[in-house]
Amino acid sequence: MSLGRGVLLVIVAAAIVFASFVVTGALAVGYAFGGFAIVAAAAFAAMRTGNEHARLTPPLAVSERTNDPLLAIVGGLPDPVIALDRDWRVLALNEPARALAPALRQGEPVSLALRMPELIEAVGRAFARAEEQRIEYSERVPIDRWFQAVVMPVRRMPDDTMPDLVLLTFRDLTPLRRVEEMRADFVANASHELRTPLAAVSGFIETLQGSARDDPKARERFLAIMQQQASRMARLIDDLLSLSRIELNAHRRPDKPVDLVPIVRQVADGLQTLARDRGVTVNIEAPGAQTVLGDRDELVRLFENLVENALKYGTAGKRVDIKLAGVRAEEGEHQVEISVRDYGPGIAPEHLPRLTERFYRVNVRESRDQGGTGLGLALVKHILNRHRGRLSIESTPGAGATFRVYLPTVEPAVVQ
Ligand code: ADP
């Protein structure tokens, strides 16, 4: 029962008792009224003291009531938020905070659940100085994660001199850090890839200006190597520019209908010389037209990379099979599947998930010897993302590799 209702009951009971004294003649009206007034005044005084007590008691533990505004506000915030009282006990926390630190309990000291010395020190400083504190910290287990925590002291009463609670809010910096790391890695890799041929070219220029100045045979040989290195740099720059162009347009879905069959045939024709040099036969199996909404140049680039890789890395198999077939995806959408299969040495399973990373190569030396940049499959992945397609790679070491591309078609494809 609430204090207010209890007081009312006492007053009503006193009124009935004193009225019955008057009715039965046990007390004179004046005395009865005086007695009733004293009881009522005492009851009101008790109620005020009770209210005062409730107001002054520091909020040590969290109220379970849902109409607690602090709980309601904290519960409605999207980022992890924890409110602590002056004794560093958890007053309120929301679901994201529970996910961040499952050991947190309302009413319990935060230091039991958050074993983060920097954070605990920041809470101490926030209370002592009544100033906002910001810290960044990382977790190593189970995976690397980075957070920013803001500890904000709050005075709930206008005349309080010191904060009576602090609010801890957390921001997950992990995606931001990953992107920063990737960008730094990318720039380092790209510079490294360019520096190697550049160093070779500079070295040969020096030799040609010095010891080989009057040696026509050496000059011929060095110029040929310099040309090779220069075209390697040109290929690299070309691939880097293509990557950034595709990324720039990633959000714009291509809208021109293009038939993939002539594109694949054009790619195979373009690579005929390479295939002949390597003694590899290219077979194409295609049903009727397979129309997708696409960017023609990007699609040519995509299949060029896949077929060229099959010819370069699968030379030993002497055969490359390209097959186009209409398939029906699970959602009932029509798709075309284009598979490029070689019968070369294949790829060990541990490399498969990383092949589309920029500059990832199973064997760097082999890739360089083949004129590779390590960006071909990264380009394939980006082109497919833009075209809402996907890539799957299957390989049995020793028995070749199959790269399968799936793209949504605009007309019902021939389902085989
Ligand atoms: P690269 O310019 O080195 O060819 P890619 O991104 O096209 O770069 O390919 C990445 C790596 O994947 C290659 O260096 C090679 O090790 C491997 N690879 C790609 N295609 C095949 C294939 N058909 N058979 C075996 N290995 C392949």
Side-chain angles (χ1 to χ4, degrees):
M1 183 173 19
S2 74
L3 198 60
R5 279 187 61 197
V7 167
L8 205 68
L9 215 70
V10 169
I11 293 171
V12 171
I16 293 168
V17 170
F18 281 108
S20 62
F21 285 162
V22 171
V23 172
T24 55
L27 265 182
V29 177
Y31 286 118
F33 190 74
F36 169 74
I38 290 168
V39 173
F44 273 123
M47 185 171 82
R48 284 194 55 196
T49 320
N51 282 347
E52 193 76 353
H53 179 76
R55 195 168 67 83
L56 293 178
T57 308
L60 286 181
V62 160
S63 137
E64 292 293 320
R65 289 173 298 150
T66 47
N67 60 356
D68 182 331
L70 182 66
L71 277 184
I73 291 169
V74 167
L77 292 169
D79 287 332
V81 180
I82 307 167
L84 302 180
D85 68 13
R86 249 188 297 228
D87 295 324
W88 301 27
R89 274 188 260 220
V90 179
L91 277 174
L93 77 163
N94 58 4
E95 275 312 310
R98 266 196 198 98
L100 198 69
L104 279 174
R105 299 275 179 282
Q106 282 186 354
E108 285 185 9
V110 72
S111 48
L112 290 181
L114 278 185
R115 296 183 184 278
M116 217 79 67
E118 314 97 290
L119 194 57
I120 301 296
E121 280 166 22
V123 171
R125 282 199 304 276
F127 270 127
R129 300 182 194 164
E131 273 173 13
E132 174 196 316
Q133 306 289 318
R134 274 170 195 262
I135 58 155
E136 283 186 16
Y137 66 93
S138 60
E139 280 180 6
R140 294 264 164 261
V141 184
I143 49 160
D144 282 356
R145 289 178 78 183
W146 290 267
F147 292 96
Q148 183 189 58
V150 179
V151 188
M152 181 68 81
V154 179
R155 291 188 195 93
R156 274 193 286 188
M157 292 298 154
D159 359 309
D160 281 350
T161 46
M162 291 313 280
D164 65 340
L165 65 88
V166 295
L167 282 176
L168 270 77
T169 47
F170 298 82
R171 206 157 74 106
D172 190 352
L173 301 178
T174 316
L176 215 65
R177 285 286 166 99
R178 292 257 149 83
V179 171
E180 276 169 17
E181 269 178 15
M182 268 166 61
R183 199 169 42 206
D185 282 356
F186 178 66
V187 172
N189 281 331
S191 327
H192 175 76
E193 292 292 329
L194 280 170
R195 203 181 296 130
T196 319
L198 194 64
V201 171
S202 313
F204 285 120
I205 292 175
E206 261 174 43
T207 321
L208 285 173
Q209 285 172 330
S211 55
R213 184 195 290 262
D214 301 315
D215 183 345
K217 265 202 181 147
R219 201 165 52 215
E220 279 307 300
R221 203 155 49 89
F222 293 162
L223 282 174
I225 302 174
M226 283 166 71
Q227 192 180 27
Q228 231 177 34
Q229 298 298 332
S231 40
R232 185 173 148 201
M233 279 193 283
R235 267 198 311 275
L236 199 68
I237 291 168
D238 193 35
D239 280 358
L240 286 171
L241 287 177
S242 302
L243 258 182
S244 73
R245 204 176 34 244
I246 296 163
E247 267 180 332
L248 218 62
N249 289 325
H251 60 284
R252 247 185 274 145
R253 198 176 173 186
D255 53 5
K256 295 224 164 42
V258 261
D259 182 3
L260 288 182
V261 179
I263 288 185
V264 170
R265 289 198 192 281
Q266 176 195 330
V267 167
D269 288 346
L271 291 166
Q272 254 324 304
T273 320
L274 179 68
R276 208 175 309 120
D277 288 351
R278 305 270 170 136
V280 180
T281 324
V282 179
N283 307 301
I284 301 180
E285 191 185 318
Q290 299 291 334
T291 310
V292 301
L293 292 179
D295 177 313
R296 202 190 148 74
D297 291 344
E298 287 183 11
L299 292 169
V300 168
R301 192 77 189 249
L302 186 161
F303 293 112
E304 248 171 22
N305 277 320
L306 293 182
V307 179
E308 198 179 320
N309 277 352
L311 292 171
K312 286 185 327 193
Y313 302 108
T315 309
K318 301 281 168 218
R319 190 175 135 203
V320 169
D321 294 335
I322 307 171
K323 190 172 159 192
L324 287 93
V327 289
R328 205 190 285 272
E330 265 172 32
E331 307 80 39
E333 189 189 40
H334 290 281
Q335 288 188 335
V336 54
E337 175 192 308
I338 309 101
S339 59
V340 180
R341 172 162 196 199
D342 69 69
Y343 299 83
I347 307 157
E350 67 269 24
H351 297 295
L352 294 182
R354 300 198 57 191
L355 286 185
T356 54
E357 283 175 28
R358 291 162 191 209
F359 298 114
Y360 187 85
R361 283 161 287 194
V362 175
N363 182 331
V364 177
R365 176 164 267 267
E366 189 193 3
S367 155
R368 289 218 178 115
D369 290 348
Q370 303 278 9
T373 59
L375 293 173
L377 291 177
L379 271 165
V380 166
K381 187 180 81 178
H382 276 82
I383 295 172
L384 280 175
N385 284 347
R386 192 174 167 224
H387 286 77
R388 309 286 188 273
R390 69 187 170 87
L391 174 75
S392 90
I393 311 170
E394 242 174 59
S395 179
T396 313
T402 309
F403 286 73
R404 284 197 182 84
V405 163
Y406 296 91
L407 283 164
T409 44
V410 280
E411 289 155 5
V414 182
V415 180
Q416 296 198 327

